Amino acid sequence: MHILVIDGAHVEAEFREKFGPSHEYRFINTQHEEPSEWPLIEQAIAGAVPVAGVAFCFGQTDRHSHSYRLLEKSASPVFVENLKESLSEMRWEAMNGSPAMHFFGFCGLPTLLNRTLLEVSLYHEADRTKLAEICAALGTDYRVVEDRVGLVTPRVICQIINEACFTLQEGTASMQDIDLGMKLGTNYPRGPFAWANAIGVERVYAVLEALWHDTHDERYKVCPLLKRQALRGEPFAV
């Protein structure tokens, strides 16, 4: 299968490992490009869309751009990393206007993509059959979760990281002790600070901010320490 990936360069190795070498991949970046580069980018997407069996869209690509309009006209299923908005909030034109289009949300955060189950959400309940078909073609099991900001696993992991930041900020334990305690006590593959670095502190902050604005639940109120690290673009010194 031809797989088109928009703005997924940060997880390219994990993406290829997840779906394997039997597929053909095309990675196209639209972020941080000069305006003069956009015609070439859109040309590349226009050429890739007709042959793509499925498209995955990461990050903050402007869904109002001409590039996304090209995806909306595609007959191929489109998976959107909906960590900051639910599919219902995105409201792409094709979601409401093209019964031939199939849109799904998915969890694409670094370290959370290459798992046994692909975590996905539905925009239309009728798309369950199509989802089963495309995941079979991709060679992955999957789990459908509620169409909510942050899906499920990102909510849990980012909340744990946030609580660890509060613990460190209050002087209860050191960063190294918190990481070691979580690994030994819960058998997590990483401690919360090492996990934040692997995901990207800025991404963790962005998910929590979106959850806070969506729910106003105190569990997702961002720790000042985490916010500072994210705004400075600095990883934790683990």
Side-chain angles (χ1 to χ4, degrees):
M1 177 184 291
H2 290 263
I3 302 176
L4 173 61
V5 184
I6 306 294
D7 293 330
H10 60 292
V11 287
E12 180 172 350
E14 188 176 351
F15 197 94
R16 291 179 181 274
E17 186 176 354
K18 164 65 178 172
F19 296 112
S22 61
H23 303 290
E24 296 184 33
Y25 299 88
R26 179 71 184 276
F27 286 80
I28 299 177
N29 182 54
T30 71
Q31 297 179 347
H32 311 302
E33 301 293 344
E34 296 296 328
S36 60
E37 297 292 326
W38 270 98
L40 293 176
I41 292 171
E42 292 177 348
Q43 183 179 356
I45 294 175
V49 163
V51 297
V54 61
F56 287 84
C57 300
F58 287 80
Q60 292 299 297
T61 302
D62 181 4
R63 65 180 179 274
H64 301 295
S65 70
H66 180 56
S67 299
Y68 265 34
R69 293 293 177 261
L70 293 172
L71 287 172
E72 288 184 321
K73 294 176 182 178
S74 168
S76 303
V78 177
F79 287 80
V80 185
E81 187 188 33
N82 61 330
L83 297 177
K84 302 173 189 177
E85 293 178 298
S86 67
L87 290 177
S88 301
E89 291 171 310
M90 289 183 180
R91 298 187 181 280
W92 283 16
E93 289 182 3
M95 285 181 171
N96 298 315
S98 175
M101 279 301 304
H102 302 281
F103 280 87
F104 307 100
F106 81 104
C107 172
L109 279 181
T111 76
L112 300 182
L113 175 61
N114 185 22
R115 297 182 290 164
T116 303
L117 295 172
L118 182 67
E119 187 172 325
V120 297
S121 61
L122 295 170
Y123 183 74
H124 291 299
E125 184 65 26
D127 284 341
R128 282 186 180 269
T129 300
K130 186 64 178 180
L131 176 62
E133 291 176 1
I134 196 65
C135 286
L138 288 169
T140 182
D141 290 331
Y142 65 95
R143 179 67 54 83
V144 176
V145 300
E146 186 179 1
D147 177 32
R148 291 288 304 278
V149 173
L151 299 181
V152 174
T153 310
R155 280 175 173 250
V156 174
I157 299 303
C158 291
Q159 183 185 349
I160 289 172
I161 292 169
N162 199 42
E163 289 299 322
C165 288
F166 276 117
T167 302
L168 177 64
Q169 180 177 273
E170 293 163 1
T172 305
S174 71
M175 189 181 303
Q176 290 72 24
D177 286 345
I178 293 170
D179 266 10
L180 183 60
M182 288 296 291
K183 287 180 67 177
L184 296 178
T186 64
N187 200 32
Y188 278 19
R190 300 173 179 83
F193 295 102
W195 213 335
N197 288 348
I199 292 172
V201 178
E202 298 94 333
R203 294 188 184 95
V204 173
Y205 171 67
V207 171
L208 288 167
E209 275 285 276
L211 287 168
W212 167 251
H213 287 296
D214 182 56
T215 66
H216 289 289
D217 189 321
E218 289 293 323
R219 292 178 297 172
Y220 305 121
K221 193 169 185 178
V222 182
C223 175
L225 174 62
L226 175 60
K227 181 177 181 179
R228 184 191 68 191
Q229 294 294 116
L231 294 181
R232 290 181 177 180
E234 297 176 356
F236 290 104
V238 294

